[in-house]
Amino acid sequence: EIPGIRLPKLTLNGAEFKQLAVKNWAADSMTQQLNLLLQLELMGDNTIAYDETYLAEGAVYSKNVWALFITGNGKLNVTAPAENGWGLSGDWGLYRQESGTVTITAGKQGIWYDTWSSFNLTFHGGRLTIEAGTDPEISYSGVINSWEKISFDISESTTFLLGDSAENCISLTAPYTTDSIQQELTDAYDEGKLTHNPWYLSLTANYTVTFDTDGGSEVDTQTIPYGEKAETPAVPAKPGYTFAGWYLDGKAYDFDAPVTENLTLTANWTVNRYTITFDTDGGSAIAPITQDYGTAVTAPADPTRTGYTFAGWTPAIPETMPAENMTIKANWTVNRYTITFDTDGGSAIAP
């Protein structure tokens, strides 16, 4: 973001139209340079259904606009089903996706770029699926019209599938470089796994859901594909506490919500209350102590018992409330007494 300057952005929220065609217009060269980029912010479900059969334009067409930048967590479904239908076409030189779900289905080409220049496919988040091509004998048919001048910037945590179809494709190995992708495609052709230029491409970002148990038992981290749901893990344990759910940013987390970014969920705990009961073994009664786990315990006054001297508690009273109810028993030492006989002048009698 540049202070004082707002780059072109188009927000789609439930849009349904035939074609997205953009042109670089400007009254001055500075604005014209800024208009080289178009940000599409996706909200809700959106569709571009292009049913024309001629090759001059495609469903998402650019005239002198170089970069298409996808943001937001909505969906965009682009279709160009004609036999010679194109998805993205025109002067695009960069497709960059940070989030959202984009699906491109085309009869001939998913992405067409001018091979006099080059094209970069950048993918840092979300989900992108391209299915294009119907006849391997047709030149430039498939996901991309040419693999000669294309480069990639794809996050290593992404699942990258490429091949003939969703049912017959290979999973590529990160890091994803232009050379490594070309080599894996060549190997797949040589081994007979694939039969023609790719008609199917799938990029799915994977995110980590980390569980901070705040002193409780460990919970494994989950890896979740974009848009899917995290699984509710087994309840952790923490001495002296009852588990009260997983929280995100101070609110209870909804495990039915789709995961669209890395998350750290924190365990919420309710402190337990426990009771210490005193068995005075015939001595004076002492009220039980009930309080929160871990809080300081104040020892009561010693009990009394006729004929006995108090000799402490077994077990000893803890300094803080333990993570369990407990009963403590008084120890007593029996007292000894003397009977003395006054014979009033008679013979002595030992006490």
Side-chain angles (χ1 to χ4, degrees), residues 67-92:
L68 182 62
F69 186 21
I70 305 294
T71 62
N73 285 313
K75 298 179 181 180
L76 176 61
N77 186 34
V78 178
T79 58
E83 182 177 344
N84 56 359
W86 296 353
L88 272 64
S89 66
D91 294 327
W92 301 117

Side-chain angles (χ1 to χ4, degrees), residues 89-93 111-119 145-146 149:
S89 66
D91 294 327
W92 301 117
I111 297 175
W112 183 94
Y113 70 94
D114 186 351
T115 54
W116 287 102
S117 56
S118 61
F119 186 85
N145 63 312
S146 174
K149 295 184 178 181

Side-chain angles (χ1 to χ4, degrees), residues 167-236:
E167 295 73 27
N168 183 34
C169 58
I170 60 173
S171 179
L172 279 69
T173 304
Y176 305 113
T177 66
T178 301
D179 289 342
S180 70
I181 293 171
Q182 295 280 16
Q183 186 60 56
E184 289 196 66
L185 281 176
T186 299
D187 293 343
Y189 298 141
D190 292 343
E191 296 166 7
K193 295 178 181 179
L194 302 179
T195 59
H196 50 73
N197 283 337
W199 286 358
Y200 175 81
L201 176 147
S202 174
L203 295 170
T204 303
N206 296 299
Y207 298 100
T208 57
V209 178
T210 304
F211 298 90
D212 177 2
T213 61
D214 188 24
S217 55
E218 185 176 345
V219 173
D220 291 339
T221 296
Q222 297 181 17
T223 299
I224 308 298
Y226 176 87
E228 298 187 15
K229 303 172 184 177
E231 296 182 3
T232 304
V235 173

Side-chain angles (χ1 to χ4, degrees), residues 76-306:
L76 176 61
N77 186 34
V78 178
T79 58
E83 182 177 344
N84 56 359
W86 296 353
L88 272 64
S89 66
D91 294 327
W92 301 117
L94 167 67
Y95 175 92
R96 175 169 178 163
Q97 184 170 339
E98 297 294 323
S99 57
T101 300
V102 177
T103 303
I104 301 173
T105 307
K108 184 175 182 181
Q109 293 170 356
I111 297 175
W112 183 94
Y113 70 94
D114 186 351
T115 54
W116 287 102
S117 56
S118 61
F119 186 85
N120 176 264
L121 177 59
T122 295
F123 183 86
H124 292 162
R127 188 186 295 264
L128 171 64
T129 304
I130 301 176
E131 294 185 85
T134 56
D135 187 347
E137 299 300 322
I138 298 177
S139 60
Y140 304 113
S141 178
V143 168
I144 297 172
N145 63 312
S146 174
W147 292 81
E148 294 180 2
K149 295 184 178 181
I150 187 170
S151 60
F152 298 91
D153 179 2
I154 299 174
S155 298
E156 292 189 15
S157 60
T158 300
T159 298
F160 189 176
L161 305 178
L162 200 59
D164 298 345
S165 64
E167 295 73 27
N168 183 34
C169 58
I170 60 173
S171 179
L172 279 69
T173 304
Y176 305 113
T177 66
T178 301
D179 289 342
S180 70
I181 293 171
Q182 295 280 16
Q183 186 60 56
E184 289 196 66
L185 281 176
T186 299
D187 293 343
Y189 298 141
D190 292 343
E191 296 166 7
K193 295 178 181 179
L194 302 179
T195 59
H196 50 73
N197 283 337
W199 286 358
Y200 175 81
L201 176 147
S202 174
L203 295 170
T204 303
N206 296 299
Y207 298 100
T208 57
V209 178
T210 304
F211 298 90
D212 177 2
T213 61
D214 188 24
S217 55
E218 185 176 345
V219 173
D220 291 339
T221 296
Q222 297 181 17
T223 299
I224 308 298
Y226 176 87
E228 298 187 15
K229 303 172 184 177
E231 296 182 3
T232 304
V235 173
K238 184 178 181 180
Y241 295 84
T242 296
F243 179 69
W246 295 103
Y247 277 64
L248 177 66
D249 297 331
K251 298 180 181 179
Y253 182 71
D254 180 7
F255 280 89
D256 286 329
V259 175
T260 58
E261 60 183 339
N262 294 323
L263 301 175
T264 297
L265 305 183
T266 302
N268 189 34
W269 300 99
T270 300
V271 64
N272 296 338
R273 292 175 67 82
Y274 297 98
T275 299
I276 299 175
T277 302
F278 298 93
D279 177 1
T280 61
D281 191 22
S284 56
I286 294 181
I289 297 174
T290 299
Q291 60 191 51
D292 291 347
Y293 164 76
T295 55
V297 174
T298 300
D302 294 343
T304 60
R305 180 182 178 187
T306 302

